[in-house]
Amino acid sequence: MKGMVFTEFLELVERTWSPALVDELVESCDLPSGGAYTSVGTYDHREMVSLVVALSARTGQPPDDVLQWFGRGLFGSLAGSYPRFVDGHADAFSMLAGIEAVIHVEVRKLYPDAELPVFKISRPDAQTLVLDYRSPRCLDALAHGLIDACVERFGGGVHVQRVPLGPTHADGSRFTLVLQ
Ligand code: HEM
């Protein structure tokens, strides 16, 4: 997982809670990297899982909710750093329909070692966009937060539902987005 994801996470924790909580999380997790992330470095994604679980233990929010919260914040910083992926889209469906074939393709060019999920996209009717998420990292909740924030960015008015694609977490999740 790219270091920028970690630095964004720790910055969000610092802004939402405190610098002291950042230190506490890093110390309690016994991270192989020592918690010293650079945005261009690459780290084991399990360090993010440890940090999320540690924040969950301190805030009382389930890990899934923490990851979803982080996804919403991460969207803001990704959109700020890469406005070209947001600008020019009329609505959230237009942007999200290109997540696999456009956005993450460009991300792969910028960061050849990025660990990206796979999204299968379909548009069953004009009101509905379906995103099937699969990733060995099982960050469905992160995707959920990113999708929620993308919808909000374009003014809301879309209902987002997440259901598992199979019996295990590794099977992924289906996001069904319906225009309200
Ligand atoms: C401005 C637009 C976006 C940019 C620049 C971007 C870029 C990135 C980058 C750099 C990573 C980290 C790769 C790594 O850790 O090695 C990533 C991961 C990820 N992205 Fe995007 N992304 C964007 C929008 C989105 C949106 C809208 C979604 C949801 C539909 C999404 C879903 C994910 C997920 C879930 C991951 C975590 C990796 C995994 O699940 O395996 N991204 N993205």
Side-chain angles (χ1 to χ4, degrees):
M1 178 172 269
K2 296 307 295 175
M4 62 182 291
V5 183
F6 290 91
T7 53
E8 285 307 327
F9 179 81
L10 295 176
E11 263 180 55
L12 269 173
V13 172
E14 182 172 327
R15 262 190 276 137
T16 310
W17 285 280
S18 65
L21 183 59
V22 171
D23 293 343
E24 208 184 310
L25 295 182
V26 168
E27 276 161 32
S28 70
C29 284
D30 194 19
L31 303 162
S33 72
Y37 303 108
T38 65
S39 60
V40 290
T42 300
Y43 306 88
D44 190 333
H45 84 280
R46 283 170 299 183
E47 292 200 15
M48 178 55 68
V49 176
S50 304
L51 289 163
V52 165
V53 168
L55 182 57
S56 157
R58 278 158 187 79
T59 60
Q61 298 288 310
D64 195 90
D65 291 7
V66 170
L67 209 44
Q68 199 173 328
W69 162 82
F70 172 46
R72 286 195 295 270
L74 183 61
F75 181 85
S77 44
L78 289 174
S81 304
Y82 304 95
R84 67 179 184 280
F85 294 136
V86 183
D87 296 346
H89 288 290
D91 51 40
F93 276 19
S94 162
M95 177 171 170
L96 291 169
I99 182 68
E100 181 73 17
V102 182
I103 298 177
H104 279 172
V105 168
E106 292 300 317
V107 169
R108 168 80 62 219
K109 289 182 196 159
L110 295 170
Y111 306 105
D113 58 349
E115 296 177 316
L116 296 165
V118 174
F119 284 100
K120 199 167 112 332
I121 319 269
S122 56
R123 189 79 193 261
D125 57 56
Q127 266 68 45
T128 315
L129 180 73
V130 176
L131 305 171
D132 285 346
Y133 165 92
R134 289 185 183 84
S135 164
R137 289 163 294 286
C138 302
L139 298 170
D140 319 53
L142 184 74
H144 200 161
L146 285 158
I147 291 168
D148 281 346
C150 183
V151 164
E152 275 162 35
R153 169 71 178 240
F154 289 96
V158 176
H159 180 259
V160 180
Q161 185 201 38
R162 169 171 34 140
V163 293
L165 278 167
T168 73
H169 201 177
D171 293 318
S173 285
R174 168 165 293 181
F175 295 93
T176 305
L177 284 67
V178 182
L179 284 176
Q180 298 299 288

